[in-house]
């Protein structure tokens, strides 16, 4: 007699921190076409991102993200500040953070890695290229990489 155990597959939880509604829509569209089961949550600025990550206020019941897509240039609290706070927090620092931004400035790339960001991706201006980049992120980070569990 052979017993087969099936592991319950849960969706990958993704937090998108993006102040541009059009970029957020494109990202949501790309991930909705993904072959990997995922839940994408979107917040518009760094303050809201930290509130979400700390499960405060209206976010008290949200799941912990498995992956964060973080823009750098945002109102209230920019991505650099958010990244620094995430990586300084013992409860959050193991969540992989992908910087997804329009900036190609070398100082931003260096600062991201100094703050222990996991990946730096410059957003293409072309819509089709942007969708391709998001699909590549999805393929690598959701299908190839083993993400840490909470």
């Amino acid at each position: 007699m052979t017993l087969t155990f099936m592991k319950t597959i849960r969706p990958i939880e993704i937090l998108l921190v993006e102040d541009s509604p059009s970029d957020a829509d494109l990202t949501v569209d790309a991930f909705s076409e993904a072959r990997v089961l995922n839940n994408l949550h979107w917040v518009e600025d760094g303050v809201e991102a930290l509130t979400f990550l700390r499960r405060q206020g209206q976010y008290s019941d949200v799941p912990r993200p498995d992956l964060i897509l973080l823009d750098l240039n945002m109102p209230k609290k920019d991505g650099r500040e958010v990244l620094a706070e995430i990586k300084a927090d013992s409860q959050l620092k193991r969540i992989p953070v992908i910087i997804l931004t329009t900036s190609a400035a070398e100082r931003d790339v260096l600062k991201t890695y100094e703050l222990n960001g996991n990946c730096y991706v410059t957003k293409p201006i072309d819509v089709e290229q942007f969708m391709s980049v998001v699909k590549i992120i999805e393929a690598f980070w959701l299908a190839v990489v083993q993400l840490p569990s909470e």
Side-chain angles (χ1 to χ4, degrees):
M1 179 170 159
T2 304
L3 294 176
T4 305
F5 295 94
M6 293 189 62
K7 182 180 176 184
T8 302
I9 298 174
R10 71 168 181 81
I12 303 293
E13 299 293 336
I14 303 166
L15 176 61
L16 173 63
V17 186
E18 172 61 65
D19 65 320
S20 166
S22 60
D23 285 356
D25 287 344
L26 286 173
T27 305
V28 168
D29 288 347
F31 274 99
S32 70
E33 295 174 12
R35 287 168 277 159
V36 177
L37 185 61
N38 68 80
N39 291 324
L40 194 137
H41 308 272
W42 172 44
V43 297
E44 295 184 76
D45 63 60
V47 171
E48 192 177 2
L50 291 167
T51 302
F52 184 102
L53 290 166
R54 293 178 178 139
R55 299 176 184 164
Q56 299 169 332
Q58 69 184 34
Y59 300 113
S60 62
D61 292 330
V62 298
R64 177 186 182 270
D66 298 300
L67 184 68
I68 300 169
L69 301 174
L70 178 63
D71 188 19
L72 286 183
N73 302 309
M74 296 181 297
K76 296 184 183 177
K77 186 173 284 224
D78 76 13
R80 296 159 203 82
E81 295 171 288
V82 174
L83 178 60
E85 287 192 43
I86 290 169
K87 295 304 181 177
D89 186 315
S90 64
Q91 299 297 308
L92 303 174
K93 69 182 179 182
R94 285 182 294 281
I95 302 171
V97 179
I98 299 171
I99 301 301
L100 185 59
T101 185
T102 55
S103 173
E106 183 66 18
R107 69 181 182 282
D108 287 334
V109 175
L110 291 172
K111 186 67 173 176
T112 292
Y113 289 111
E114 285 172 5
L115 294 171
N116 297 309
N118 298 88
C119 184
Y120 192 100
V121 178
T122 302
K123 293 178 196 173
I125 295 172
D126 178 77
V127 173
E128 286 183 31
Q129 288 178 348
F130 181 83
M131 293 289 284
S132 293
V133 164
V134 172
K135 288 177 182 181
I136 290 168
I137 290 170
E138 177 265 327
F140 180 73
W141 284 96
L142 303 186
V144 175
V145 172
Q146 182 163 345
L147 297 171
S149 59
E150 190 172 357

